[in-house]
Amino acid sequence: MAQFSLFDQGPRILLDDASGKVVYTPELVPATTAQTWFERLFEDIAWRGGRRLMYEREVDVPRLRAHFDLDDPALPAPLHEALAAVRGAVDAPFTSVGLNLYRDERDSVAPHNDKLEDLVRGHPIALLSLGATREMVIRAKRPARRVLHIDLEAGSLLLMDYSSQFHYDHGIPKQRAPMGPRISLAFRVRPPAP
């Protein structure tokens, strides 16, 4: 893997081979912009919890969520602005954005890959981070189990191509140290409704 200068703020290719491509861009948007979007979304979004079956029992989803179609007339202004920033860096016709609010160090998402039937083949997933820095772990599904640990900073963009979802799981683990809240904006290209 290539080494990067601490002062290099351009895109960093973390993975690029037959198993997929993952690119991390720190400071896609300035820190002040990321903070403004975070504050507005944190306060204004109708966040919802949820329950799901895990290990044969129903549990609370350990984060809050929201979702918008990008053509929704009620799309909040920070999401319009974030979409413009992401589209400036990524050539993809994104149609939806999923929001996850990690309230503190106890919130998480288990290792998973995106459901391929919910994505248009060939298009990437773009994750824009707002708020506190959180670690994402990307792990190969098969030996040799390559593992990437990425600190997702406010204003950063993580881009995972479609094929990476076949070969890698990604997740946000719980942390031991106290952490402030983080919002993840996951831009995707969804297939049209039947």
Side-chain angles (χ1 to χ4, degrees), residues 95-107:
T95 59
S96 78
V97 60
L99 289 76
N100 285 298
L101 170 59
Y102 301 86
R103 295 161 287 191
D104 59 28
E105 68 280 0
R106 294 171 297 227
D107 279 356

Side-chain angles (χ1 to χ4, degrees), residues 129-150:
S129 293
L130 307 173
T133 298
R134 286 293 297 262
E135 178 188 38
M136 175 177 274
V137 178
I138 299 176
R139 184 180 312 270
K141 295 180 183 184
R142 294 179 184 83
R145 299 229 187 251
R146 182 176 189 178
V147 179
L148 301 173
H149 296 268
I150 306 145

Side-chain angles (χ1 to χ4, degrees), residues 6-17:
L6 293 174
F7 304 104
D8 177 11
Q9 295 303 310
R12 300 173 186 180
I13 298 172
L14 304 178
L15 171 70
D16 189 7
D17 59 26

Side-chain angles (χ1 to χ4, degrees), residues 142-163:
R142 294 179 184 83
R145 299 229 187 251
R146 182 176 189 178
V147 179
L148 301 173
H149 296 268
I150 306 145
D151 288 331
L152 301 175
E153 301 167 343
S156 69
L157 181 71
L158 183 77
L159 192 65
M160 296 182 288
D161 77 350
Y162 181 84
S163 63

